[in-house]
Amino acid sequence: MSFNNLDTLYRQVIMDHYKNPRNKGVLTEDGSLTINMNNPTCGDRIQLTLKVENGIVEDAKFDGEGCSISMSSASMMTQAIKGRNMEEAIKLSKVFSDLMQGNEYDEDLDLGDIEALQGVSKFPARIKCATLAWKAMEKGLKEQQ
């Protein structure tokens, strides 16, 4: 597949997650963990709620407002971490951070839709948008450990 076709496909995946976000909402169950974060540079804000039982992320939802990059990244992240143990979710966050910074990462790891965000690494001002939800997740899970 040519670069232009891949770029177009990635844009479509990002816009699909933005227009049809997965796991949008708030978990209100007892014991759910709530993390609020914002990016003052561009005004993105997120409220992430996680349900963690026996070290497994059973459910994840997000709410907030921001650009297409931050909101689609939150949608992709909540999909990616559901059903994973906390260590796996934190490792995935580190892999995503490497992807955003243009660093090498374990390419054998199936990132699914998340891979569509790799072009963000070419726009340093947008990296904080893409990583906001991931930083919130990492913060919340580290507080749980």
Side-chain angles (χ1 to χ4, degrees), residues 75-125:
S75 173
M76 293 175 197
M77 184 272 299
T78 56
Q79 278 193 306
I81 65 168
K82 277 177 153 181
R84 293 186 187 259
N85 69 42
M86 293 188 334
E87 291 78 23
E88 289 172 332
I90 290 169
K91 179 183 178 201
L92 191 58
S93 182
K94 291 185 186 328
V95 167
F96 183 71
S97 180
D98 284 340
L99 180 72
M100 287 299 97
Q101 294 173 30
N103 297 335
E104 287 189 23
Y105 64 95
D106 183 356
E107 293 188 25
D108 291 336
L109 196 61
D110 180 16
L111 297 177
D113 286 353
I114 296 165
E115 213 170 312
L117 292 166
Q118 72 184 36
V120 173
S121 67
K122 296 178 193 122
F123 305 96

Side-chain angles (χ1 to χ4, degrees), residues 11-25 62 67-68 70-79 113:
R11 260 194 237 119
Q12 289 171 343
V13 170
I14 291 167
M15 289 313 293
D16 180 51
H17 275 272
Y18 180 62
K19 291 177 179 174
N20 307 294
R22 284 48 152 198
N23 307 305
K24 181 119 172 150
F62 76 97
C67 67
S68 60
S70 68
M71 295 295 105
S72 60
S73 183
S75 173
M76 293 175 197
M77 184 272 299
T78 56
Q79 278 193 306
D113 286 353

